[in-house]
Amino acid sequence: MIKLGYLRLFVLSLIFILLYLAVVLRLFLWQVIHSEKLSDIGRAQSTQSLIASAKRGDILFSDDFPLATNKITYLLYANPKKVDSVFSYSKTLAPLLKTEEASLSAILSQNLFWVRLRSRLSYDEKSQIEKLKFDALGFEQEPTRFFPEASMAAHLVGFVGKNELGEDQGYFGLEGFYDRQLRGRPGRIYMVKDALGNPILTDVREEKKIDGRSLVLSIDRSAQYITDKHLKKGIEKYQAEGGSVIIMETSTGRLLASSSFPKFDPQKYYEYDSSLYKNPIVSTVFEPGSTFKVLVMSAGINEGVVEPDTRCDACSVPVEIGEYKIKTWNDKYYPNTTMTEVIQHSDNTGMVFVGRKLGLDKMIDYLKRFGLNESTGIDTQGEISGTIKEKEDWYTIDLATASFGQGISITPLQLVTAVNSIANNGLLVKPTLVDRIITEEGKVISTKPTVKRRTVSEKTAKLMTWMMVNAVEKGESKWTKIPDFRIAGKTGTAQVPVAGHYDPNTTNASFVGFFPAENPKLTMLVVVNKPKTSIYGSETAAPIFFNIARDLIQYYNIPPSP
Amino acid sequence: MKRKIYLSIIVLSITALVLELVNIHLSGRIASDSVAVKIIQERIGKQAERNQIMQSKVLELTSFENVASRAGELGFKEADSYISLHKSIKVAFNR
C-alpha cells in the first residue's frame, strides 16, 4: 500500500516536472531562439519610422534672389471605395483639374483604396477642391522645384527631374553639375507610438537629415535681364534661328550673364524638345570666323613676326593655295595694308599672311595656349571642347583658313575666354558661375579666381586692344558704336558648313569685345545663328552687342573714356 | 530584532508602492503630453506650410519677369533714349 502511494506521488511529480519543462522550453523558444524576429514584429507594430526629406539647396543670383528654390505643391488622391457618386465627383472635379470627365471616371471606378488624381496642385487649387468637402479626397504635400524668374538663365540652371528610383535628380546646367551637393541627405525618425498612434516622447531616435547646400552665383540678375531682353529682340529683328550672349568679368572670369535662345522653361521642361536642354555656350561648337583673327594676330605680334604697322605684301589679290582661292569678305583688296588695317577691314588675305609668318608649329602652340583644345573647366554640366588636329593632319589650306577662323571649331565660351585673356593683360582665367557655396550649417565656401596661364605678353595685349578699338572706330561696325566710350571689338561672319561645303548665304554672325578699352571691366560675345535679314556680324551681332553694352554702362556706372 | 525586520519590510513595501504610484502618474502625464505635443507639431507644420507658400508668392510677384509684364500692362514703356523730359518746355519760335 505504501509503495503504491509513493508510486502515485512519483508519477504525479513526474507529470508536473514534464509540464514545467514544456513551459520552460516554450519560453526558451520564444524568448531566445525567436527573440529577434518577435522583437522586430513588435517594433514594427508599435514603432513608426518617418523619412525626413532633405530640403534641396537653393541656387541664388548674386543679389541673393533665387534662380531656383523649392515650393510646396500638393498631390490629390482619392479613395475610390469611399466615392458615393463617380458621376458627380468627375463632373465637379474635371474642370478644376483641367482633365476629361471620362478619364477621371475611369480612375475613380477602380477597385482600389488609393488612386492618384493629379500632382503639383498649387495652394489655391487645393483650397478650391477642399471647399467641395468630398470625403473620398485627400492631399499630400509635394516639394517641387520652383524657378521664380521662369525661363531666365534656363540653360545655366538646368532642371530637376526624377531618376530610376523616383528620387529628385538635377539634369544639365548647375542642377546637374552640383546635384550631389544640392540634394543633401534624407534623415529618419524612429518613434514608439501608443495604441492611438500618438508618439511616446521618451523613445525617439533620429538619424539627422542634412539639407542640401545652396549656391550663390556670379550671375547678376539685372545684367541677365538686360541680356535676355536685347538678345530676344535682336533674334526677332534679324529673323535668326537663335543666338547666345556671354558676359564675363574681365579680371576674374566670373560670368555675369549668359543667355541663349531658343530656350525652355525649367518648370515645365517636359513640354520642350530635349535638344533645347543643352547649353549652346558650352555644349555646341561653331566656326568662329573673323572674331578669331584677334587671337591669331595676337600670336603673330607676340612672336614678333608682325607688328601693328607691318605691311602685307600679298594682299592686293586673292590668295591661291592649290585649287583654293581665298578672297576677302567683300572682294576688296588693299595693297600694302598694315596689320592694324587688316583687323579693321577684316581682311582674310592679310590674316593668311600672318598665319604663314607664324607657321604651323606656332599656330598650334598658340591655339593650345588660348585653351582651344581643352574644356574651360566651368562648373556646369555638359561642357565639350573643340579639338585641334595633330600637326601631321594639317594641310596648307588648313593653316590658311584657321588664320581667319574657318575650318576650326570651338565653343562660344572657349572663344570669349580666349579673347578675355587679351583684355586681361595676357592672362587666361578660368570662367566660373558659382561665387559661394553655403552649407547647411551656414558655413561659406568661396570660389577664388584661377589664372590658368599667360597667353601673350602685357605689351602684346595692349597693342591688340588698340587695334580692336581702331576696328570698332573705323571698321564695319562703326555705325552702331557708342560715342564717348572706347570699346575694343571685332565682328565675325562665319559661313556655315553644309553637306561638305560652305553655304555663302548661311552664316553664324558674331561680335566679341571688351570695355572700357583703357581698363576693361567686361568682356562680351554675341553670336547670332543664321540671321536672315543680313548675314553679317556688323549688321546683326554688333548692334545687339552695343545695345547691351549701352545698358550695362549705365547699370555699372562706367564713366566715359577720357 | 524581529521588530526591526518587520519595520524594514513595511518601510520598503511602502516605498515600493509609492514609487510605483509615481511611475504610473508620470507615464500617464507623458502619454497625455504626447497628445498635446502632436497637436502643437501639427500647428507648427501648418504654419510652416503657410509660410513657405507666402514666400513662394512673394518671389513670384517680385521677379523681374512679373514686374516687367505688369509694368507693360499698366502702360509703362521702355525709354527709347537715355534722356527723358518730365515737363513740357516752351520753345520760342522765330517769326
Side-chain angles (χ1 to χ4, degrees), chain A residues 252-369:
Chain A
T252 61
R254 293 164 70 237
L255 257 59
L256 301 179
S258 172
S259 184
S260 293
F261 282 82
K263 56 183 177 179
F264 63 98
D265 183 349
Q267 195 79 56
K268 300 174 199 163
Y269 63 91
Y270 39 84
E271 293 179 7
Y272 295 81
D273 194 90
S274 58
S275 61
L276 292 176
Y277 300 158
K278 286 195 297 187
N279 189 347
I281 71 162
V282 295
S283 298
T284 55
V285 290
F286 78 121
E287 292 192 14
S290 299
T291 48
F292 200 72
K293 289 170 180 167
V294 303
L295 302 179
V296 176
M297 186 62 78
S298 307
I301 294 172
N302 205 52
E303 283 299 306
V305 300
V306 291
E307 285 176 12
D309 52 5
T310 301
R311 292 192 179 272
C312 171
D313 56 9
C315 291
S316 48
V317 289
V319 175
E320 288 191 17
I321 300 173
E323 63 198 34
Y324 300 101
K325 202 183 256 189
I326 293 171
K327 300 181 183 181
T328 60
W329 67 274
N330 55 359
D331 228 2
K332 279 188 189 168
Y333 300 89
Y334 304 90
N336 281 323
T337 186
T338 65
M339 295 300 103
T340 302
E341 288 163 347
V342 163
I343 295 293
Q344 178 187 320
H345 297 136
S346 202
D347 189 336
N348 292 344
T349 58
M351 290 311 304
V352 172
F353 171 81
V354 175
R356 280 173 170 168
K357 289 268 183 191
L358 197 54
L360 181 58
D361 286 336
K362 287 289 175 193
M363 174 71 90
I364 293 173
D365 178 48
Y366 273 91
L367 293 180
K368 289 178 180 174
R369 261 205 230 185

